[in-house]
Amino acid sequence: MNVFLLGLKVTDTAQESEGIINVLAEALPTSDRKTPTKVQLLQQKDHYVGKALQKLEKDQSILAVGLVKPTPEGMLKMNTMMVVNKDSFDDVLAIN
């Protein structure tokens, strides 16, 4: 697994299964010609990042940091360690 920092657009609201929050998103493409990579953001429901994932809305742009593992289907599964949106940007500035 590798740690990635990804700019994403949320494509579906959060779903919960067995205490795990799951949010589907697409990587923001660098140009109009590129096909966006699908990303599945995962975290425990009670984790502070899991609570942040539950608040994400469809079509919202975010920045996500986490351990990423590719799937055979071409999707990236991210064990999310941090999620930043325009309302929580100050949280990033506080990280040393």
Side-chain angles (χ1 to χ4, degrees), residues 21-81:
I21 299 300
N22 171 20
V23 175
L24 298 178
E26 291 182 342
L28 296 173
T30 56
S31 74
D32 291 337
R33 291 186 233 171
K34 297 207 177 193
T35 303
T37 302
K38 296 188 184 310
V39 180
Q40 182 181 28
L41 305 171
L42 302 164
Q43 188 50 264
Q44 297 287 328
K45 178 183 176 179
D46 296 332
H47 192 276
Y48 73 94
V49 174
K51 292 176 183 177
L53 290 176
Q54 293 176 61
K55 296 177 185 176
L56 297 179
E57 298 175 6
K58 187 175 179 180
D59 295 327
Q60 186 175 9
S61 294
I62 61 169
L63 183 66
V65 179
L67 296 169
V68 175
K69 180 179 179 182
T71 67
E73 298 83 25
M75 180 186 294
L76 297 177
K77 285 190 171 193
M78 177 182 276
N79 183 3
T80 314
M81 299 185 303

